[in-house]
Amino acid sequence: MRKITLFLLVSSVLGLQAQQLDVTKLTYEDYQSDLTFLNKLISQEHPAPYKVVSKSAQEKKQKDALKQLKKTTDYVHFIRCLTRIGDGHLSYELPEEFTFNAIEHSQFFPYPVFVKDGRMFINIKGATLPYGTEITAINNRKIKDLLTNINEHVHGDFYNTTLTEEKLTQAFPLYFANIFDNRVKSFSIDYITRDTKKQKRFKTPAVDYYTYYRNSKLSILPINKLELEQPIHPHYYPEKKLAVLTVNTFDLSESQAYEKFSDFFKRVNKEAYKEIAIDLRNNGGGNPSIAALLYSFISNKKFQNIFNYRTAAITLTKENMVNDYGNPLSYDDIKGFENFLYQRFNKDEDGTYVGNERLKEGVLETFPPDKDTFSGSVNLLVSGKTFSAAVYFAKLFKEHQRGKIIGQETGGNEYNTFAGYFVHYKLPKTKIIVRIPKTELFFGKAETPKSTHGIVPDLKLSIQDYLKYALKEQDPETQYLLER
């Protein structure tokens, strides 16, 4: 499954040449036509499109956005109309032609930032404002209000804000340009000085995309960038008898995952480590069975590995259906997927389709501990980017009280998420590829109570402690473990 990030301009597009869509010639009627088609798709293909936000509320929000689009008919204002329903897996990939147009004509906020607990800080050294300076307002928009507005477009499950903050730490200038203003000439920044704690205002010109991109590569957080470069990365602290296993994805084969997990746990057992931490702060999910596999290395008894999927329909809207690379699907491809759904989902009493034994074939529901299981103290590090199947691991960890959970609330919901199987469509006029979850993944045997939050950590560093470590360019949560 290809990772798709809403609004994110990727540097690799600079080498592309073919442009077939002239975004400057799209009309209001073109945009309105695509939105009508998009709404139809989501209502027919999504397993629960109104679970978080009612249909009437969605329609009102889009109606208000369409009024602004009619006043200023361009691609950026169309982006603000795209349907959001409180599902962190529903995503949009913008066409290359828009990316080229934005690179040429947009202006951007000059500094990378990091966002934590509703507050924003400068995330680069050598700028006019020192690293770690708190920003309180941008162009007279208070940061709290700005984050609330962005959360309507960029969020985790149930409009979770911690994933929003992680996304803004990754690419705030891009989100600001596409959600608020991409033609701004300058920025008025209200900030608090680090030494005197006085409120001041600073004005700085906007920058082009190339300057923004260069500045983004100089950002400090996240600190441990080496750990982000591999799916699984072990880090040992022999003097502390502490080891950290960073797992950035569960989208792995069993053999690949088992080899890495086994190597780590064999070593910590052999060298008599007293404590480990499993770092899922950047794990966006993957296969729940791989999450269970990892848990088997820290479990001292058999545990239940139970999850399943449900969907609202086992037929597909065939019009404009594409694969996740944007290429049209053949009739045989579409029919093959429909046959897959027909074979593996049974209609329940309430009219929804639930995965049957054939869908769960090969899933080990009663999972034994691994022979190299670790019996010492275990910590789990999570953040807003802990999502989907990674939340399933955190749920196992929490329910079995295996140790302390440290960090931020997860971006994914603790009981269910919309994931597993996806359908892709290309909107005919604007060429946006929309990825719609076809199934809802739920954790456990039965329907669980509705929850609007993720896994809440046992320990969350105060903003003062977080800044203390960040200003030293130290990983806050890891450094906390080392200094206890």
Side-chain angles (χ1 to χ4, degrees):
M1 180 177 65
R2 184 171 56 155
K3 182 179 179 182
I4 300 174
T5 305
L6 178 63
F7 306 136
L8 193 57
L9 304 178
V10 185
S11 62
S12 60
V13 302
L14 296 176
L16 300 174
Q17 296 178 352
Q19 297 189 38
Q20 300 176 348
L21 171 68
D22 187 346
V23 298
T24 65
K25 293 184 178 179
L26 290 170
T27 66
Y28 177 79
E29 289 70 27
D30 292 331
Y31 292 127
Q32 193 174 42
S33 172
D34 269 9
L35 283 176
T36 299
F37 180 57
L38 173 63
N39 293 338
K40 172 188 170 185
L41 285 174
I42 292 176
S43 66
Q44 293 179 348
E45 298 302 328
H46 196 278
Y50 312 117
K51 183 172 187 172
V52 180
V53 184
S54 69
K55 184 177 181 180
S56 59
Q58 290 183 34
E59 290 174 344
K60 182 182 184 305
K61 185 178 292 186
Q62 194 167 83
K63 186 177 180 180
D64 292 341
L66 279 167
K67 288 180 181 178
Q68 296 303 315
L69 176 63
K70 197 158 192 175
K71 291 180 181 178
T72 308
T73 305
D74 61 18
Y75 212 99
V76 170
H77 281 78
F78 169 68
I79 289 171
R80 299 168 193 170
C81 297
L82 293 175
T83 306
R84 306 302 300 184
I85 62 175
D87 171 9
H89 280 93
L90 174 68
S91 62
Y92 302 94
E93 182 181 19
L94 306 183
E96 298 158 4
E97 292 85 353
F98 170 73
T99 300
F100 279 105
N101 185 271
I103 286 174
E104 183 176 357
H105 298 293
S106 296
Q107 295 291 306
F108 299 93
F109 189 75
Y111 307 127
V113 301
F114 67 89
V115 184
K116 190 67 63 176
D117 294 346
R119 297 166 69 179
M120 180 179 290
F121 304 87
I122 295 291
N123 193 17
I124 185 174
K125 287 190 172 181
T128 304
L129 298 179
Y131 171 65
T133 298
E134 182 173 4
I135 300 172
T136 58
I138 298 175
N139 288 355
N140 295 316
R141 294 177 183 268
K142 293 182 179 180
I143 295 303
K144 181 179 179 180
D145 296 335
L146 186 150
L147 296 180
T148 298
N149 290 337
I150 292 178
N151 181 250
E152 295 181 1
H153 302 270
V154 185
H155 54 74
D157 292 335
F158 287 89
Y159 286 88
N160 179 287
T161 59
T162 57
L163 182 56
T164 306
E165 293 183 349
E166 294 285 353
K167 292 288 188 180
L168 296 185
T169 298
Q170 179 183 351
F172 169 74
L174 296 180
Y175 290 114
F176 186 95
N178 285 301
I179 294 172
F180 294 112
D181 192 349
N182 68 327
R183 301 297 176 91
V184 63
K185 299 299 182 183
S186 63
F187 290 92
S188 175
I189 302 174
D190 293 351
Y191 67 97
I192 299 174
T193 58
R194 278 173 41 196
D195 49 357
T196 63
K197 305 300 181 184
K198 291 184 178 179
Q199 184 85 33
K200 290 191 175 183
R201 176 168 288 187
F202 167 67
K203 192 168 184 177
T204 184
V207 299
D208 62 19
Y209 177 76
Y210 298 90
T211 303
Y212 152 70
Y213 187 78
R214 183 173 65 250
N215 289 346
S216 71
K217 294 301 179 183
L218 299 175
S219 61
I220 306 299
L221 284 170
I223 300 294
N224 294 332
K225 296 183 180 181
L226 176 61
E227 282 88 333
L228 298 177
E229 293 180 0
Q230 299 173 324
I232 303 172
H233 184 92
H235 194 158
Y236 303 94
Y237 300 89
E239 69 285 356
K240 296 284 186 178
K241 285 300 178 183
L242 169 70
V244 179
L245 181 66
T246 299
V247 184
N248 293 315
T249 181
F250 286 129
D251 190 12
L252 304 163
S253 69
E254 182 176 341
S255 59
Q256 178 188 12
Y258 188 85
E259 179 181 0
K260 296 293 185 182
F261 296 162
S262 182
D263 287 346
F264 175 81
F265 285 98
K266 281 178 179 176
R267 175 169 172 177
V268 295
N269 284 323
K270 181 180 180 180
E271 298 181 9
Y273 275 70
K274 298 178 180 178
E275 184 177 22
I276 68 168
I278 296 175
D279 185 356
L280 301 186
R281 287 175 296 175
N282 291 281
N283 191 314
N287 186 346
S289 290
I290 302 302
L293 176 65
L294 176 59
Y295 189 77
S296 73
F297 281 90
I298 58 172
S299 180
N300 57 11
K301 60 182 179 181
K302 291 181 179 180
F303 62 94
Q304 293 300 297
N305 170 42
I306 297 178
F307 58 89
N308 204 352
Y309 301 90
R310 58 175 155 247
T311 185
I314 57 174
T315 56
L316 301 169
T317 303
K318 300 170 180 61
E319 182 184 1
N320 297 108
M321 196 173 187
V322 297
N323 62 22
D324 57 350
Y325 295 99
N327 300 317
L329 285 179
S330 68
Y331 172 82
D332 288 342
D333 289 332
I334 297 172
K335 195 62 182 176
F337 187 39
E338 284 188 327
N339 287 338
F340 174 89
L341 296 172
Y342 176 78
Q343 293 164 353
R344 290 167 174 81
F345 285 85
N346 295 339
K347 199 168 188 178
D348 211 346
E349 295 177 356
D350 63 357
T352 61
Y353 292 85
V354 179
N356 57 32
E357 293 304 314
R358 190 166 181 180
L359 182 68
K360 295 185 283 185
E361 187 177 357
V363 174
L364 191 60
E365 292 196 340
T366 301
F367 218 117
D370 190 83
K371 63 177 62 177
D372 292 313
T373 189
F374 178 75
S375 59
S377 178
V378 185
N379 302 283
L380 176 62
L381 307 184
V382 297
S383 78
K385 290 176 75 174
T386 306
F387 197 62
S388 197
V391 180
Y392 177 54
F393 178 91
K395 185 175 176 64
L396 288 172
F397 191 93
K398 174 184 175 182
E399 289 182 343
H400 291 279
Q401 299 180 335
R402 187 56 186 89
K404 186 171 288 187
I405 302 177
I406 302 171
Q408 298 284 117
E409 178 186 340
T410 62
N413 184 264
E414 68 172 325
Y415 291 117
N416 64 293
T417 188
F418 301 108
Y421 302 92
F422 297 86
V423 288
H424 299 78
Y425 294 88
K426 182 178 286 187
L427 302 186
K429 302 292 185 181
T430 58
K431 307 304 180 186
I432 285 177
I433 296 175
V434 53
R435 182 186 72 166
I436 304 174
K438 184 65 178 174
T439 53
E440 182 176 13
L441 167 62
F442 57 96
F443 309 133
K445 286 184 177 179
E447 177 73 26
T448 49
K450 178 179 177 180
S451 169
T452 59
H453 58 78
I455 298 291
V456 177
D458 302 307
L459 173 66
K460 173 183 169 183
L461 295 184
S462 68
I463 192 66
Q464 291 77 15
D465 285 340
Y466 190 91
L467 287 173
K468 178 184 72 174
Y469 293 123
L471 290 173
K472 296 177 183 178
E473 296 189 37
Q474 296 174 329
D475 180 302
E477 284 82 12
T478 301
Q479 199 62 30
Y480 164 79
L481 289 175
L482 293 170
E483 291 184 3
R484 287 166 306 161

